[in-house]
Amino acid sequence: PVHDPVKVILLKVINREERPRRLSAAYFAEWVLGTVRDQTAWTIVTEVDAETGALFARNAFNAEFGSAIAFVDTSLRPRSLTGDRLEFLGRNGSMADPMGLHQVELSGFTGAIRRHVDWK
């Protein structure tokens, strides 16, 4: 959609090997909904839309972006998600090796930023 404020990503994978493969795909969004992430990260609230299953993010504390809702979704199911940056990246926040990719599924946590994470 060229004239809509939407980003569409099409991922096409071709297995050129003889044996079956199992793959996972992940998408990480660094929500800002303002001008500078360090100033807005604590005010962003996420939720799962009951009708579509999409992950919504909003920042009601920002005068300019307060009514905006950002979203992300995938057409494939099953899928898991988290609105918790710490859960996905891990304690040291490594994009090179995110902790969330070492888990079978994510917690599904949404809401305001969680200050304490229960590492099972």
Side-chain angles (χ1 to χ4, degrees):
V2 177
H3 301 291
D4 293 333
V6 176
K7 179 181 190 177
V8 176
I9 299 171
L10 175 63
L11 177 64
K12 183 176 182 179
V13 178
I14 299 171
N15 182 6
R16 298 191 191 281
E17 301 291 323
E18 294 293 320
R19 63 188 173 101
R21 306 292 299 254
R22 290 181 48 121
L23 300 174
S24 295
Y27 183 82
F28 176 76
E30 201 65 92
W31 304 112
V32 177
L33 299 173
T35 53
V36 180
R37 186 186 128 9
D38 290 339
Q39 295 173 355
T40 62
W42 66 275
T43 61
I44 294 175
V45 177
T46 57
E47 66 180 297
V48 174
D49 180 56
E51 186 177 325
T52 64
L55 179 64
F56 286 176
R58 59 185 166 77
N59 181 357
F61 295 98
N62 186 288
E64 186 177 347
F65 297 96
S67 63
I69 297 177
F71 68 93
V72 65
D73 200 8
T74 178
S75 60
L76 300 177
R77 299 291 194 266
R79 59 96 169 97
S80 68
L81 59 85
T82 185
D84 187 341
R85 181 180 195 273
L86 184 60
E87 176 187 355
F88 184 76
L89 293 181
R91 189 163 283 160
N92 296 323
S94 171
M95 286 294 292
D97 188 23
M99 190 178 91
L101 296 183
H102 295 278
Q103 299 171 194
V104 174
E105 65 181 35
L106 300 167
S107 70
F109 174 83
T110 59
I113 288 181
R114 182 163 50 169
R115 296 290 175 205
H116 172 72
V117 175
D118 205 6
W119 302 100
K120 294 179 183 171

